[in-house]
Amino acid sequence: MENNRNIILAIVLSMIVLFGWQFFVAGPQMERAQRQAEIAAEQQAAADAALATPATPGQAAAPAAVGTATFATRDEAIAASQRVSIETEDLSGSINLAGARIDDLRLKQYRETVEDNSPIITLLTPAGLPNAYFAEEGWVPVAGNSIAVPNAQTVWAVEGANTTLTAATPVTLAWDNGAGLIFRRTISVDEHYLFTIRQTIENRTQGDVALYPYARVIRHNTPKVANFFIQHEGPHGVLGNNNLISKKYTDLQKDMQATYENTTGWLGFSDKYWATAALPPAGTPINARFSWTNTTGFDDYQTSYVETTPVVIAAGATAERESFLFAGAKEESVISAYQTEYGFDRFDLLIDWGWLWFITKPMYYLLTFLYSILGNFGLAVLAVTVIVKAIFFPLASRSYASMAAMRRVQPEMKAIQERLKDDRPAQQQAMMELYKKEKINPLSGCWPILIQIPVFFALYTVIFISLDMRHAPFFGWIQDLAAPDPTNIFTLFGLIPWNPTVLPIIGGFLHLGIWPVIMGITMWVQMKLNPPPPDPTQAMIFNWMPVIFTFMLGTFPAGLVIYWAWNNTLSVTQQWFIMKRHGAEVNLLGNILDTFRRKPKPAEQTKS
C-alpha cells in the first residue's frame, strides 16, 4: 500500500514538473522560435523590401545579408567587390557596387585613441564581417507585381567618368533590369556627414509602373555599449506623433519587431559619439520599423522605412525620388544646421540631451562658448561650475544659514534627546517647541539644495555626452577627458608591471587614479564640515560613503571626476564662508582629527 502511494505521488509530481516545464519554459521558447521563423519567412518573401508597402501591411523587413560570403578581414571584404571611392574632408570610404550599399565609411577627424598614429574611427563596415553595419536604398513593387527591382546582389555600373564621390563631385550609378526599366542612383555628400540619394526610374515599357521607395540601416551583432542611464545607445528615431523612439538592443531582441505605420520622421542607430539615420524628405508619410532576427547565427538589427505613397512612372516617362542618409559624428552644430536647412523633424534629438534638455542644451552652449575663449575644455567645465555656483549662491546661503542655525541649537537638541530618550512622542514635541522658539524650519535647508539638483545633473549630463570632451586634454597626465584617469594606485602609478583590472569579480574596482582619490578626499572633507550624526549607523554610512564613491568613479571619464572634485571644493569653500558669516562654529580641522582619535570603549567610559 505504501509503495503504491509513493508510485502515485511520484507520477503526480512528475506530471507537475513535465507540464510546468512545458507551460513556463518549453512553450514560450517554442512560441518565440515560431514567431522568429515567421518573421524570417516574411522577410525572405519581401524580396529585399525594407518594410511592408501599404498594399501588403503584413510584410516585414528583408534579411540584411542572407547568403553573403564571410571574410577574414575588413580589407578582404572591401577587395571582394567593385567600389566607388568616398573622399571628403571628414569622410573616407567607398560604395559597394553590389547593391549600391554605403558600407565602408571612416571618420577622418576622429581617432580611436589620443595617439597621433592611432587608426581613424570606422563607422560603417561591409556585410560578411561580424560587425557589419551599412545602409541601403531601394524600391518595393506593388503587391502581386513581378517587376524586377535592384536588390542586395544587383551589380550597378558607374555612369560618367567620375569614380570618386567628393563634396563637389557626385557619382551616378545605373542598372537596367532588362525589362524596360532603367534605374539610376545619383549619390552626393556635403562637407560633413549628410548623403543625398536621388533615385530615378526611366520607364521604357508600354504601361505605367508604381514602386515604393525604401531605405534601411542594418547592423549585425550587438555592439558594445556603456549602458548608462544618462545616454541612450541603440535603435533610435523620431516618428511623427510617436515622438522620440529609443530602444535598447536587448529590448528589441525581446520585441523582435516594432512597426509604426502612417507616420513621418527618421530612424537609425545611435552610439555614444556616432550615429546613422535614414531620412526621407521632411513630412513624407512612411511606414517605419525596428526589427531583430537571428536566423543565421548572428543578431541582425534593422531600422527601416518605406514611403506609403508610390512613385508612379508613366510609360515613356522618368520619375525620381530623393532621400538622405546621415552617417557621422554627433556634432551639435552640424546636426542643428541639418535640422534648420532640410526641416528634419527634431533631428537635434539624435543627441540624447535627456529629460532635462531645456537645461542641458543651454548648459552645453555656455560650455562651448567658454571653451572658445579658454581654449581648454577642462577649464571650460571648471568655469561653468563656478558660474552655476555663483547663480545659486543665494539659495545655497539660505540652505547653509539654516544648517548654521541648527548647529547653534545642537547642544539643546542633544539634551532633549538624552532627557526624553525613552519617550519618543515627548521628544518630538520638545524638538518642535525648540524649533518654534528659535524660529528654525528644519526643512528650509533642504529645498534650496533640491532646486539645484536638476541643474547640476544637467551639467553632469552635458559633460558625459559631449563629443567635445572626447580626446580633449587637460593638464599633466590627463590627455583625454572622456577616458578614465590613466594612473592607478594599485600599480604604484606604473611601477608594478601588472594589470589588476583583469582579476575576476573585483578587477573592475581596481583601477583607481589620482583624480578619483582627490575627488574622494574632497567629498570626505565636505562631510567633515559637520559633526558626525549621533546615530552610530548613520555615522558609519557617512564615513564609508566617500570611499564607495571613490571606487565607483574610478573608471568614470576623467572630465566627470575632475568636475566632481572641483564642485566639492567649491561647496566646501562656500559652506565654510556662509556658516562662519552666520556665526556658526566650523571646526573643520577638529572634526577631521576626531576621525583618527581612538574612541574609548563603553567599559572605559563607565570606569572613568
Side-chain angles (χ1 to χ4, degrees), residues 353-363 454 458:
W353 297 105
W355 295 345
L356 299 173
W357 58 268
F358 51 90
I359 304 176
T360 307
K361 291 190 73 173
M363 195 80 72

Side-chain angles (χ1 to χ4, degrees), residues 196-455:
T196 301
I197 299 97
R198 190 175 77 253
Q199 298 190 87
T200 62
I201 304 175
E202 181 182 348
N203 184 5
R204 296 181 179 179
T205 68
Q206 300 301 311
D208 296 349
V209 173
L211 298 172
Y212 295 92
Y214 80 85
R216 61 182 174 183
V217 181
I218 300 163
R219 195 166 202 169
H220 293 171
N221 287 329
T222 306
K224 184 179 180 181
V225 297
N227 228 2
F228 202 55
F229 74 96
I230 287 179
Q231 184 183 39
H232 172 74
E233 295 179 71
H236 187 73
V238 170
L239 298 174
N241 293 332
N242 298 289
N243 298 315
L244 177 65
I245 307 293
S246 298
K247 292 184 173 293
K248 294 182 178 179
Y249 289 103
T250 51
D251 292 340
L252 193 54
Q253 289 177 12
K254 295 175 184 177
D255 298 339
M256 292 188 286
Q257 194 168 278
T259 302
Y260 302 87
E261 296 186 350
N262 297 315
T263 186
T264 58
W266 54 270
L267 68 170
F269 292 95
S270 180
D271 298 334
K272 183 171 184 178
Y273 298 120
W274 335 113
T276 56
L279 304 106
T284 302
I286 59 172
N287 290 341
R289 177 169 293 169
F290 300 90
S291 63
W292 167 87
T293 56
N294 191 338
T295 56
T296 54
F298 55 78
D299 293 323
D300 175 14
Y301 302 95
Q302 294 190 39
T303 60
S304 48
Y305 74 81
V306 64
E307 296 186 19
T308 59
T309 303
V311 175
V312 178
I313 312 99
T318 299
E320 70 174 44
R321 194 63 175 154
E322 191 174 62
S323 60
F324 305 91
L325 171 71
F326 175 90
K330 291 158 68 171
E331 298 175 7
E332 191 278 335
S333 59
V334 172
I335 291 171
S336 295
Y338 290 152
Q339 177 173 313
T340 301
E341 181 177 354
Y342 296 94
F344 299 138
D345 185 16
R346 290 164 283 178
F347 195 51
D348 60 325
L349 295 183
L350 192 64
I351 301 173
D352 187 1
W353 297 105
W355 295 345
L356 299 173
W357 58 268
F358 51 90
I359 304 176
T360 307
K361 291 190 73 173
M363 195 80 72
Y364 171 79
Y365 296 139
L366 175 60
L367 194 61
T368 53
F369 172 73
L370 292 172
Y371 175 45
S372 68
I373 297 174
L374 299 173
N376 184 288
F377 198 80
L379 290 180
V381 169
L382 303 187
V384 168
T385 310
V386 172
I387 292 172
V388 173
K389 281 287 187 183
I391 293 173
F392 282 104
F393 183 82
L395 287 175
S397 180
R398 290 189 58 185
S399 174
Y400 294 139
S402 176
M403 295 170 69
M406 293 289 288
R407 287 174 65 90
R408 286 198 306 269
V409 299
Q410 193 171 40
E412 297 178 55
M413 292 170 60
K414 286 185 176 180
I416 292 174
Q417 291 172 347
E418 184 65 28
R419 188 175 71 251
L420 301 173
K421 60 183 178 180
D422 296 326
D423 190 349
R424 297 288 292 182
Q427 183 184 122
Q428 293 295 329
Q429 181 65 29
M431 288 286 192
M432 296 303 296
E433 291 176 357
L434 176 63
Y435 294 151
K436 185 177 181 180
K437 173 186 173 184
E438 298 294 335
K439 297 180 179 180
I440 296 173
N441 182 358
L443 296 179
S444 64
C446 300
W447 287 114
I449 296 177
L450 292 176
I451 294 173
Q452 297 177 60
I453 287 176
V455 177

Side-chain angles (χ1 to χ4, degrees), residues 75 78 111 130 155 279 333 439 506 518 522 605:
D75 290 341
I78 292 173
R111 296 187 178 274
V155 178
L279 304 106
S333 59
K439 297 180 179 180
I506 63 172
I518 293 174
T522 59
Q605 291 178 337

